[in-house]
Amino acid sequence: MTDVAQRKQDKIARRQVDKFDARRTELAVATLHTLAELGYARTSLREIAQNSEFSHGVLHYYFADKRDLIVEAVRQYERVCVTKYDEVVAHATSADQLREEFVAMFFDTLEKDATLHRLWYDLRNQSLYEEYFRADVLEIDAHREAMVWRVISRYAELREGAPTASSGTAYVTLDGIFQRALLHHLSGNAETVASLRAELPGVIDLLVA
């Protein structure tokens, strides 16, 4: 085979891989809400197909099983979440503005996308039992930690201060508040959610000297 023919064959192969990956992404995004509603334990590719416009055969062609689909779906959602918070960081011109807009988005996405966040925590909990998920969960968790750190670092810069904790500590602090608020939101405890929202600005201040 000539070099030209080989390059052409490689190009076609890459294009096929790109199309396959793009279709996986499309299917993961399209079935995300169904996954979020059903949760891990009650989900199978067949059940997802029954609750979406896609056939079981199509889903099975692009995903090995429900675990493969759930991980890809959560990855896609996390990319959108990170982008939203990065926009807040990029547009903030004062520490107060950044803190206020971060808190607003923090609780806005908690309320609007509660079932999607629930899916993430479901996946993270499953990783404690199933090794299959652990590498992906750790990678997604690292992206979330980095996103929080960009917020805290920029807040410290605007306050002309410095973070008082590591990126890991800052992340688990805010993630703990988010998970607690999510649980109470899903339970209809609006008063507890409001209390956590009122306390969050002070917690952010504690993370920056």
Side-chain angles (χ1 to χ4, degrees):
M1 182 181 293
T2 66
D3 289 344
V4 172
Q6 182 63 55
R7 286 197 298 272
K8 183 178 292 185
Q9 188 176 58
D10 290 345
K11 188 174 182 180
I12 292 172
R14 285 196 300 272
R15 188 180 301 124
Q16 290 173 335
V17 169
D18 289 343
K19 286 183 177 179
F20 184 86
D21 289 343
R23 184 59 170 161
R24 272 175 57 90
T25 298
E26 179 187 351
L27 290 169
V29 171
T31 58
L32 183 54
H33 285 278
T34 298
L35 288 166
E37 287 296 333
L38 293 175
Y40 177 78
R42 293 160 46 200
T43 300
S44 69
L45 288 184
R46 191 171 301 280
E47 287 168 334
I48 295 167
Q50 290 173 351
N51 287 276
S52 72
E53 60 185 291
F54 307 105
S55 70
H56 176 254
V58 168
L59 293 178
H60 191 65
Y61 176 77
Y62 286 97
F63 300 96
D65 51 30
K66 72 173 183 179
R67 299 180 302 181
D68 189 19
L69 175 54
I70 287 173
V71 169
E72 182 62 25
V74 171
R75 280 182 180 278
Q76 296 306 321
Y77 180 66
E78 286 302 315
R79 286 170 187 163
V80 174
C81 282
V82 168
T83 300
K84 288 180 180 179
Y85 284 111
D86 282 346
E87 289 174 358
V88 170
V89 172
H91 296 151
T93 57
S94 71
D96 287 346
Q97 179 191 356
L98 176 54
R99 184 182 58 195
E100 290 171 7
E101 292 187 2
F102 174 75
V103 171
M105 181 164 290
F106 190 95
F107 282 91
D108 182 61
T109 186
L110 181 144
E111 294 176 3
K112 288 184 178 179
D113 302 321
T115 57
L116 301 178
H117 292 296
R118 180 177 64 184
L119 178 63
W120 156 245
Y121 287 115
D122 191 6
L123 176 61
R124 194 166 73 176
N125 288 338
Q126 286 298 322
S127 73
L128 298 174
Y129 297 94
E130 296 193 43
E131 187 175 354
Y132 175 93
F133 289 125
R134 287 176 193 161
D136 292 298
V137 164
L138 287 171
E139 182 181 346
I140 294 170
D141 217 38
H143 290 315
R144 292 167 66 92
E145 178 182 331
M147 176 270 293
V148 166
W149 192 241
R150 287 192 291 274
V151 174
I152 297 301
S153 297
R154 179 57 176 157
Y155 185 64
E157 181 182 346
L158 290 169
R159 285 189 62 183
E160 299 182 352
T164 59
S166 67
S167 62
T169 298
Y171 171 55
V172 297
T173 298
L174 297 183
D175 183 66
I177 293 171
F178 190 90
Q179 188 172 13
R180 179 174 172 80
L182 178 63
L183 174 60
H184 283 277
H185 170 71
L186 293 171
S187 302
N189 299 329
E191 185 176 342
T192 301
V193 176
S195 177
L196 289 168
R197 180 169 187 151
E199 293 173 7
L200 183 56
V203 173
I204 294 172
D205 285 343
L206 291 174
L207 294 172
V208 174

